[in-house]
Structures are given as structure tokens and as C-alpha cells.
């Protein structure tokens, strides 16, 4: 399987590249990204064949269908990392919460958020490619909270890869910050940056685009890469759990094979939802993919009106910060798959220069055959958290946004799979506030209050964070990021 460019080819770069090229150098012609040249059709017997398969066996078969240039034993080794999840036999439990509503819990990995689902295996694949080519890579990451810990965790002590992770000082939860600053490995560097996430991210983008910086790295024999969510090396691992979750519903006798379901995804950069879209194209009987947003509701506007309009828009901080995103990068792959490279280039270039685009009526109709969307503000989210808790289910504020789409976007009484993207432990102050009105609780107090109220224990890896030694205590101005990085490598 080769990968082609979402905005077409500029005559300077190869027209198609292998999977490993696409993940090591993810930027393509005209600022586009790489997409598979076609989506494999798994056939109608695929689900039946895997009815009793473990997560890893299912995963291997899905990845093999993409026919990528990664050795089979490397893929096996990468998939073995799911053994570190809470339940080695089932890394992604699916829980019935109420009539028709099932929650697929994607947060049982080492950093307690769904980023582990893709980053765990991706880290191993990237490091093994770097070793095989005898190359060294520097991965730069800017994080608002979940990607940073997951990226550090996956690359820690891996050969031929160094990671510099930047977070906005004061812009993450205590737990998220501690997960980063207590990581102790020679190949990792964590930098707190004065400013907000946008400042941190634009500093990162500037470095990624700087020829001079690249040259300086080259003189030290280091290549620059990024582990952000447009990297197809992450997306491929996000197809698996959608198919797994469907099969779990079959195994729980909730549906029969072939029955349609709704997939309900809390979305930001649209990686999770893109995985759902590919799963649907490959084999999965899906009525619609429901896209949940928070008050940063540009995806709701896109799906309901075909309008992507960044003019006069600013990111609003919410209680579901991992979804505080306006430029949702993976929408580009949906445009490409539905409307082709020429149209994608036209729309994306208009977005870059004029900050908006509008789909035609026919195009909107195509988008709406697959997706429905709504958004959930923080107050409604808190109500959903409280209501679910009172009926016995504890969930985080990102997951809560899906309960709104469940209420407003379903047109049929079909079973619905909501994806839970973070454990309650990562956003405990918000949850404590929703459950008992506590304001400004520190993470530690909030964790204890919730644990007591729900009569559950705080997972050891979260509790331990508060006593671990802080190994990265540097807080810098963004002007000094570059020199700190060069110092480190
Ligand atoms: C990253 C993240 C999301 C958004 O996922 P996308 O794939 O970017 O749409 C939602 N919830 C949590 C907790 C996340 O960490």
C-alpha cells in the first residue's frame, strides 16, 4: 500500500511514498498530508471471522490489510504493548451504561487517556524504523495535556529517538503536569513555557518549519519529526478499537453481526473519528458517526452547514481541554477521501489564505450521509457527569460531550457506542465540581473526594505521581525554546 498526497503533487516530491516514509516525513506537497491510496475492503466475513479473536489478533489482521512496509515481528512487538493495559486480555472494555448506550473505554493504558491507544505502538514502530535506517530522530511535541505524557511514555528509553515536550505552564492539570515532569529518562526533555497553549504550539510550528533549525540538527546527524495526530502511523492504530468495540457488542448479545450501530466520538483533531470512518469503509455496519464537540464547535458547523469558518473565532478554554481545537487537522483526509485531491487543495488553500470555506449542497449531503454533529457546553457536560454518576457510571468531561449527541443526533433506536477518551483521574477537579459543587479543588483533594464518594480507589500510577521526584523543572520564555533544545541534543 502506498500513500498519496491530500493536496496533489507539486512535481518536487515523489507522487507516492511508502508507509514508513509517510510517518517519518509527514508533510507533503502544498502543505498537505499523506493518505492511503485506497482503503482496504475487509469483506463481509471479516467480522464473523473475528468474533472470538483477542484484541491483538484482530489488530494484526486489520494492519496486515494495509500491506505496509513494516516487518511483521515489529508489528507484533508493537501490539504486545497493549499487554501493559489494565486487562491484558481486553485492553478496551466496553460497558453498558443505559438502554442502547455502551461506553468503549479507551483510557486503560499507562497515561490514562486514549492517546496511549495509538502512541504506545507508534513509538515502538518509529524507533525500530530509525534503528533499521541507522538514523536519529528528534520528536518535538507541544501539548495541552494528554499528548505530552503519552508521547514521553512511549519514547522513553527507546533507541535513536529523543523527545522534547513543551507544555504551557499553568495550562495543564496537576496530574498531567506531574506525568511529564517526573519522567526520568536520558532521551526526554520537558519544558514548561510561559504563555498559553497557542503560544507553545506556534513556537513549535515555527521550529518545524525553520530550515535553519533543520540544518543545525542535520549537522548533528539528527532528523526532525513530529508525533502529532495527522501522522498516519497513529491513525492506523485508531481503526482497530472501533471494530473491536462492535465485536464486543456482538459478544455481549447486544447486537447481531450486521446490525447497524451509531459510533459517538468526542472530537478535536478528528483522529479518533477518522479511524471510525475508515472502520466503516473497511467493514463496519454503522448508521452514522456522531461527532461531539464542546463550545469550540467548529466541527458542528462544518457537518451541519458545510461551513468551515475561522474568521472572528478564538479558542474558548473549556472543561474538556483536549477538544479545545479550531483547526481540526484530520478533516483534510475526509475531504480528500470524499472529494479528491484537487478539491481538497482548493478548500484547504482557501482556509489558509481566507480563513474559511463553504462546501456545495451536494458535498454537504455526502458529508451528512456519514456524520451528524452537535456540541455540549460545560454546564450541560457537568449535568451529564452528575446524571451518569447517579446511575452508577463515573466519566470524564470529554466523554460527557457525547451524551449530548446521544440525546440530540440519533434518528433511530440503534445501539450506540460512545468512546471514553480519558479516565476520571485526569480531570478530577471538574468532576468534583460536577458531583458536589466543589470549586477550585486541587487535583489531589478532588481525587480523594471522588474516590470516597464513588467508593473506588485511585489507580496507583496516579497516586504515586504526587510523591515522585520532579526531574524537569525548567520554565522558560518561548524565545529560549530553540536554544534549550539545541543544548539538550
Ligand atoms: C485527544 C483527545 C480528544 C480528541 O481526539 P481527536 O482524535 O483529536 O479528535 C478527546 N478527548 C481526549 C481526552 C483527548 O486526549
Amino acid at each position: 500500500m502506498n500513500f498519496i498526497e491530500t493536496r496533489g503533487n507539486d512535481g518536487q516530491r515523489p507522487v507516492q511514498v511508502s508507509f514508513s516514509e509517510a510517518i517519518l516525513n509527514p508533510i507533503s506537497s502544498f502543505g498537505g498530508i499523506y493518505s492511503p491510496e485506497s482503503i482496504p475492503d475487509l469483506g463481509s466475513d471479516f467480522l464473523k471471522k473475528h468474533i472470538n479473536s483477542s484484541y491483538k489478533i484482530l489488530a494484526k489482521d486489520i494492519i496486515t490489510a494495509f500491506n505496509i512496509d513494516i516487518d511483521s515481528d515489529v508489528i507484533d512487538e508493537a501490539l504486545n504493548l497493549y499487554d501493559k493495559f489494565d486487562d491484558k486480555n481486553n485492553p478496551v472494555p466496553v460497558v453498558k451504561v443505559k438502554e442502547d448506550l455502551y461506553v468503549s473505554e479507551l483510557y486503560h493504558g499507562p497515561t490514562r487517556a486514549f492517546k496511549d491507544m495509538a502512541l504506545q505502538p507508534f513509538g515502538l514502530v518509529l524507533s525500530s524504523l530509525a534503528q533499521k535506517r541507522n538514523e536519529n530522530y528528534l520528536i518535538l511535541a507541544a501539548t495541552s495535556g494528554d499528548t505530552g505524557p503519552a508521547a514521553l511514555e512511549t519514547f522513553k528509553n527507546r533507541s535513536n529517538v529523543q523527545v522534547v515536550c513543551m507544555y504551557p505552564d499553568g495550562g495543564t492539570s496537576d496530574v498531567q503536569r506531574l506525568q511529564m515532569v517526573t519522567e526520568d529518562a536520558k532521551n526526554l526533555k520537558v519544558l514548561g513555557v510561559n504563555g498559553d497553549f497557542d503560544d507553545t504550539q506556534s513556537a513549535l510550528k515555527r521550529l518545524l518549519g525553520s530550515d535553519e533549525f533543520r540544518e543545525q540538527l542535520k549537522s548533528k546527524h539528527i532528523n526532525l519529526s513530529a508525533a502529532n495526530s495527522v501522522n498516519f502511523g497513529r491513525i492506523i492504530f485508531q481503526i482497530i478499537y472501533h471494530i473491536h468495540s462492535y465485536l464486543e457488542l456482538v459478544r455481549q448479545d447486544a447486537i447481531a453481526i450486521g446490525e447497524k450501530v451509531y459510533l459517538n466520538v468526542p472530537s478535536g483533531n478528528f483522529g479518533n473519528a477518522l479511524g471510525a470512518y475508515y472502520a466503516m469503509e473497511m467493514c463496519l455496519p454503522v448508521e452514522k458517526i456522531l461527532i461531539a464537540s464542546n463550545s469550540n464547535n467548529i466541527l458542528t458547523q462544518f457537518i451541519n452547514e458545510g461551513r468551515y469558518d475561522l474568521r472572528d473565532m478564538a479558542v474558548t478554554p473549556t472543561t474538556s481541554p483536549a477538544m479545545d481545537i479550531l483547526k481540526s487537522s484530520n478533516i483534510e483526509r475526509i475531504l480528500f477521501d470524499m472529494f479528491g485531491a484537487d478539491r481538497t487543495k482548493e478548500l484547504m488553500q482557501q482556509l489558509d489564505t481566507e480563513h474559511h470555506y463553504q462546501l456545495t449542497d451536494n458535498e454537504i449531503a455526502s458529508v451528512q450521509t456519514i456524520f451528524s454533529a452537535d456540541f455540549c457546553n460545560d454546564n450541560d457536560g457537568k449535568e451529564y457527569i452528575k446524571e451518569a454518576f447517579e446511575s452508577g457510571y463515573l466519566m470524564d468531561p470529554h466523554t460527557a460531550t457525547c451524551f449530548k449527541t446521544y440525546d440530540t443526533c440519533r434518528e433511530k433506536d440503534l445501539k450506540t457506542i460512545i468512546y471514553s477518551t480519558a479516565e476520571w483521574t485526569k480531570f478530577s477537579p471538574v468532576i468534583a465540581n460536577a458531583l458536589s459543587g466543589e470549586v477550585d479543588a486541587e487535583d489531589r483533594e478532588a481525587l480523594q473526594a471522588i474516590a470516597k464518594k464513588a467508593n473506588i480507589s485511585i489507580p496507583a500510577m496516579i497516586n504515586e505521581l504526587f510523591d515522585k521526584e520532579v526531574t524537569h523543572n525548567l520554565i522558560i520564555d518561548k524565545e529560549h525554546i530553540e536554544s534549550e533544545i539545541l543544548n539538550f541534543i
Side-chain angles (χ1 to χ4, degrees), residues 31 37 77 159 185 248 275 342-343 349 368 448:
E37 60 186 348
E77 221 186 311
S159 307
E248 271 293 301
D342 289 346
R343 181 65 173 150
Q349 289 194 333
Q368 292 179 349
Q448 284 161 354

Side-chain angles (χ1 to χ4, degrees), residues 113-115 146 238 266-272 322-323 398 421-422 427:
F114 109 101
K115 299 292 188 283
D146 282 338
Q238 296 188 49
S267 296
N269 256 327
F270 220 74
N272 196 352
M323 294 157 64
H398 301 78
T421 47
F427 300 94

Side-chain angles (χ1 to χ4, degrees), residues 247-261:
L247 287 169
E248 271 293 301
L249 257 59
V250 177
R251 290 191 277 263
Q252 295 178 21
D253 285 329
I255 53 170
I257 286 187
E259 209 171 313
K260 286 194 172 174
V261 298

